[in-house]
Amino acid sequence: MSILLSNGKEIPIEMHKIRIVQRVRLAPAAERLQAMEKAGYNTFMLRSRDIFLDMLTDSGTNAMTDLQQAAMMQADDAYAGSESFYRLTDAVEDVFGYKYVLPVHQGRAAEHLLAKTFIKPGQVVPMNYHFTTTRAHFELVGGTVLELYADEALNTQSSHPFKGNIDLARLKECIDKYGAEKISFVRMEATTNLLGGQPYSMENLKAIKAMIEPLGIFLLIDGSLISENAYLIKQREAGYADKSIKEIIREMMEIADILYLSARKSCSVRGGMIATNRKDLHDAIRPWLPVYEGFFTYGGMSSREIEAMAVGMREMTELEVAGSAADAIKYFVNRCVEEGIPVVTPPGGLACHVDARRMIPHVPQSQYPAGAMSAAIYIAAGIRTMERGSVSMDRDREGNDVPSDLELCRLAVPRRIFTMSHYEYAVDRLKWIKANADLIGGLVFFEEPPVLRFFAGLMKPLGGWGQKLAAKFAQDFGPNC
Ligand SMILES: *Cc1c(COP(=O)(O)O)cnc(C)c1O
């Protein structure tokens, strides 16, 4: 939620009070440099104790509500037929209107089952944009990911309200080129993660469905960030201002054929699921669930998380919850723009994304500018961010680096974790980094895993720039900052 102050300014306002807190520590710059060196300039390799503000991700890091915690106490740990599962299916039916539910341990497990069931070698999967784990699973079974976004999606200085839309002309071209039998399904990702948390519109969803339904192609939604997409539709799309978040989500689900999600995001727990009303799709996936995840009524999740997921799923349809991250992000992004920090606009529903190409234009893409930016932000501020650029792209089948469309450094906004002073601190340190951008150089891998290399790859700063940046920081702010 946002609230208007008497001076005409809008600020994000928390519609909750904080009853449990976790201490954090701001290690001095010299210590942060050491930690970054030890982590191979990869923020995934840092230890939590060395981090002041953890903006790596919103995945599994949201604050739960008292009601979610309370629900965990009534967990029914039966291996089969657990009551907890039936409370989850009630919530799914209520929120999404879908009656078949396949629980999985997290989002990528859903992607694994969907890929295994529906993608045949040589087929293509059109989508608005890939997610890292989605691409990995779809390609591992021999499929090809086709990203059919509009050109505007890659413009990081935009005011387009729905950069997560599929370009309909490109979808038509794709169908004409490959034919329906070579298309596994069409995937639409809510609040498109790697495009900077950008939403699709309901209009776009309807048009996609109208095009593919007569051809027998089904529409799959990745709803990991669905409540934020619904919130942004309510704010930005004509005709939706007076609809509730639940009505908007229900309308999406009436258009789609099948949904999967990582419950670690909008639902604020750790888990995932696939849901649908189409018996044929459900029946095709179902046999594989106990093979890879667990029995049909727990799917690899703990009963406690299943209970908390049922509550979190209903809660995400409340306006204050659906908008809690989006309105903080709006503030965070707009403050960065005011201070001249190059970030992705318009504000989306996931994070504040620094555009590394504009922040450190002298670092070539082959030296991973977004990775360098991510390391620099940790050294200068103790803030952990995530590289969302070429490090996050694996090499192609010939072993060549694949340059990413965008070189973004993501400052994720987990739900109900940070306050305005945290955002103001981040803005201030980003401003300092921009003023000292010439000190930052590129990175080179010295250890590189063959798949999802961004998780565990180790890098070195070219020319030892990390040391120079830390020294300049200590000079400007003193040794204890
Ligand atoms: C996080 C995420 C996934 C993967 O889910 P995990 O729970 O991390 O396995 C898939 N799609 C999107 C859009 C996500 O944000």
Side-chain angles (χ1 to χ4, degrees), residues 57-59 105-109 111 131-134 187 189-193 222-225 260-265 271-272 350 410:
T57 177
D58 65 329
S59 179
H105 81 277
Q106 65 183 86
R108 70 200 67 186
E111 290 166 340
F131 183 72
T132 49
T133 55
T134 320
R187 171 181 175 274
E189 181 179 312
T191 316
T192 325
N193 197 319
D222 176 344
S224 305
L225 292 148
Y260 79 95
L261 55 79
S262 164
R264 301 172 64 88
K265 322 292 170 59
L350 170 67
R410 175 176 98 179

